[in-house]
Amino acid sequence: MESSGRRAAAPGRGPRVLVVGGGIAGLGAAHKLCGHPAFPQPHVLEATARAGGRIRSEHNFGGVVELGAHWIHGPSQGNPVFQLAAKYGLLREQDLSEENQLMDTGGHVGLPSVSYASSGESVSLELVAEMGNLFYSLLDQTRDFLHAAQAPVPSVGEYLKREISRRVAGWTEDEESKKLKLAILNSFFNVECCVSGTHSMDTVALLPFGEYTVLPGLDCTFPGGYQGLTDHIMASLPKDTVAFNKPVKTIHWNGSFPEAESGDTFPVLVECEDGGCFPAHHVIVTVPLGFLKEHLDTFFEPPLPDEKAQAIRKIGFGTNNKIFLEFEEPFWEPDCQHIQVVWEDTSPLEDVTPELQDAWFKKLIGFLVLPSSGSVHILCGFIAGLESEFMETLSDEEVLRCLTQVLRRATGNPQLPAPKSVLRSCWHSAPYTRGSYSYVAVGSAGDDIDLLARPLPVDGKEAQGWNVSHQVWDGAKNTAARAPPALWPHQPWHPTDPSPLLQLQVLFAGEATHRTYYSTTHGALLSGWREADRLLALQGPQVHLPGPRL
Ligand SMILES: Cc1cc2nc3c(=O)[nH]c(=O)nc-3n(C[C@H](O)[C@H](O)[C@H](O)COP(=O)(O)OP(=O)(O)OC[C@H]3O[C@@H](n4cnc5c(N)ncnc54)[C@H](O)[C@@H]3O)c2cc1C
Ligand SMILES: *[C@@H]1O[C@H](CO)[C@@H](O)[C@H](O)[C@H]1NC(C)=O
């Protein structure tokens, strides 16, 4: 067992803070704390060998490709990811323009440049636009239910299907044309499954769906890779802040853990898979919800309060993956940005569950054409749900062979040259992620997100067994008499309550803890800042003043 806490702050240097997870939420929290004299040296424990988490740029596949986050959603003044990226000089000139920042896309994916039916015919873009407009106008309607007392149906999917059935009754074309329209609509359902990171829109709750907030701005990408952002945050942290290959196994909280080296006693002990143990006053947990779901029974000791554990079980976390195909020569037109594939035998109104082996690729929404750089020509396919998880179990060769067939069929060109290489994300099998991002599932609501975000101990009661005199941290002197900030305004502060050092033992950040921006990088970053601020507030207002270190 390695000497505990050697990496952490020296005694007398303020409360010891550990951050679990080095994605943008964890790095953001550490960065914010580092700027304040009360928390000179927070440390980050990251399970893998790299920082960035679900922000992951790959530079060895043609140009740069994003295995995780792709766009800044809503790049405008209110988006901290946009602000930081602009500050670091990571964006294109046009993406900084006032005009782009004011653009309101409603958060919808744009229409395709070309649409192929599975029989090899092109589909009229007019018809695609008509179906796209229908689909997105119905999707926008779902937002109206946010403040409704009751939902007409539990899920977004059921609502969309019900409305579509009503429309279909009024369609006057021949059966063939109606079938095509439904197949196009099905393709938009598949797009929305990617956006929500879910298997089916039937699992996405209707009432709270409108709580997700879309910021203005025309979504933009990072020409040099999204990871430039997290790399910059990393570089601004003191050296050795992040420890890599340090998967945390169990967070022991509500305890009394003495540290021989310093003579201090700590309420929390973070135990790593390699046996390393790190005592701390505060731990900010930023691991993905997928990881929390899988390890709920062993990750916290004592176990989480029941309502928090329930929130973790109820909030949705599904899979969206990308498949990159590199071609020798483009088979698409130079101005083509987005290729849609419509499977003619599908309809959102029919519940068929074909064997994954035979039909997984029908969940693929088509391909984005990545901006070409010189001789590099790359398509990026998106696929969500169980089909996406099945895809992860196949070999690269099988995926390449299958998608070559799909493209040959769709373009009606049996001679279409196969891509020269393939690269895909496998977020569901990633042991420290277990999926892509969160959504508000049927049976859960925005309140569950807030419950997940609530720090432990919930009301300070769990810490009552504590003897405050154990504390030898200088800064803790007289803290028991100092009024804390109004984190729980309904609870009066008594001098006999546990010291601030025993409050906020375990804090929760990460994409899934942001009630209105969940599933995004800006939601994740803001959640990390939120928890850093919560700790800063606990220290009282004086730490915000510039001054010597404690
Ligand atoms: C395919 C895909 C596409 C996306 N596209 C977009 C997009 O276009 N725009 C957008 O805004 N967002 C997008 N997102 C979402 C965005 O990437 C995430 O919301 C955000 O990066 C999450 O940040 P985080 O810090 O909360 O979590 P993460 O980045 O997942 O960081 C958590 C970290 O915790 C580590 N960890 C896990 N378990 C342990 C443990 N036991 N001990 C120690 N460390 C542990 C993980 O290794 C990871 O580094 C996409 C995500 C995916 C997967
Ligand atoms: C925390 O510890 C106190 C005192 O030992 C105990 O009474 C309380 O039940 C514990 N809380 C939890 C959640 O285990």
Side-chain angles (χ1 to χ4, degrees), residues 419-438:
K420 64 179 196 185
S421 52
V422 61
L423 177 76
R424 66 239 160 89
S425 61
C426 290
W427 289 107
H428 182 72
S429 353
Y432 298 108
T433 315
R434 306 300 277 142
S436 294
Y437 33 82
S438 63

Side-chain angles (χ1 to χ4, degrees), residues 253-254 302-303 461-466:
W253 60 288
N254 193 36
K461 278 201 201 102
E462 285 92 339
Q464 269 169 10
W466 259 75

Side-chain angles (χ1 to χ4, degrees), residues 12-34:
R13 280 292 171 119
R16 213 178 279 179
V17 182
L18 282 175
V19 178
V20 182
I24 194 168
L27 296 177
H31 181 243
K32 185 139 206 173
L33 290 173
C34 281

Side-chain angles (χ1 to χ4, degrees), residues 108-415:
H108 302 322
V109 177
L111 294 171
S113 328
V114 57
S115 177
Y116 294 116
S118 42
S119 60
E121 304 280 314
S122 330
V123 183
S124 127
L125 287 181
E126 224 166 56
L127 191 62
V128 172
E130 190 189 323
M131 291 304 102
N133 291 338
L134 169 61
F135 184 84
Y136 289 120
S137 70
L138 293 177
L139 195 65
D140 286 341
Q141 283 177 18
T142 61
R143 302 192 148 255
D144 299 342
F145 292 106
L146 181 53
H147 301 292
Q150 258 198 326
V153 286
S155 70
V156 174
E158 286 157 286
Y159 177 78
L160 294 174
K161 290 191 286 189
R162 195 185 69 171
E163 293 303 308
I164 288 169
S165 308
R166 287 187 179 157
R167 303 297 195 291
V168 174
W171 287 355
T172 52
E173 328 49 358
D174 56 277
E175 284 310 307
E176 198 78 350
S177 308
K178 284 186 198 169
K179 270 191 80 176
L180 180 61
K181 282 167 93 170
L182 284 169
I184 298 169
L185 283 170
N186 197 66
S187 167
F188 284 106
F189 272 81
N190 290 345
V191 170
E192 217 41 44
C193 285
C194 290
V195 172
S196 284
T198 184
H199 175 63
S200 157
M201 292 309 287
D202 292 359
T203 63
V204 179
L206 179 60
L207 275 195
F209 191 60
E211 204 155 19
Y212 175 85
T213 306
V214 178
L215 290 166
L218 186 65
D219 288 6
C220 66
T221 56
F222 290 71
Y226 222 122
Q227 212 181 296
L229 180 68
T230 38
D231 288 348
H232 263 83
I233 304 177
M234 265 295 284
S236 67
L237 297 172
K239 203 170 155 283
D240 294 333
T241 297
V242 184
F244 293 104
N245 301 308
K246 275 279 174 204
V248 169
K249 184 178 165 207
T250 301
I251 295 170
H252 304 268
W253 60 288
N254 193 36
S256 172
F257 302 100
E259 182 187 53
E261 215 170 297
S262 61
D264 287 2
T265 303
F266 298 83
V268 186
L269 184 75
V270 174
E271 180 190 352
C272 291
E273 276 175 23
D274 65 6
C277 285
F278 302 88
H281 295 106
H282 310 287
V283 176
I284 303 180
V285 176
T286 75
V287 304
L289 180 61
F291 179 92
L292 276 184
K293 281 178 184 282
E294 189 177 39
H295 299 277
L296 193 51
D297 295 340
T298 51
F299 201 58
F300 298 96
E301 180 51 49
L304 295 179
D306 196 48
E307 56 177 3
K308 200 182 192 73
Q310 284 300 346
I312 290 173
R313 289 189 191 101
K314 287 193 302 192
I315 302 170
F317 196 79
T319 304
N320 174 28
N321 275 312
K322 304 185 192 175
I323 307 175
F324 299 96
L325 301 175
E326 188 187 359
F327 291 83
E328 210 76 65
E329 294 295 334
F331 64 83
W332 52 92
E333 298 295 319
D335 58 351
C336 177
Q337 295 184 347
H338 174 178
I339 301 169
Q340 182 182 52
V341 181
V342 173
W343 291 92
E344 282 160 300
D345 52 350
T346 62
S347 159
L349 305 182
E350 277 162 37
D351 270 328
V352 279
T353 37
E355 287 294 312
L356 287 172
Q357 181 72 53
D358 306 326
W360 66 269
F361 46 86
K362 293 190 185 177
K363 196 67 166 279
L364 189 86
I365 65 169
F367 300 88
L368 286 187
V369 179
L370 297 191
S372 79
S373 54
S375 59
V376 178
H377 310 285
I378 297 174
L379 295 183
C380 172
F382 290 79
I383 183 166
L386 295 174
E387 292 83 352
S388 191
E389 292 166 16
F390 177 78
M391 180 277 295
E392 293 185 19
T393 67
L394 301 174
S395 68
D396 279 353
E397 292 68 33
E398 284 171 300
V399 171
L400 192 140
R401 191 168 352 108
C402 186
L403 293 194
T404 303
Q405 273 165 18
V406 166
L407 283 170
R408 286 180 179 165
R409 219 174 129 176
T411 57
N413 175 6
Q415 257 73 58

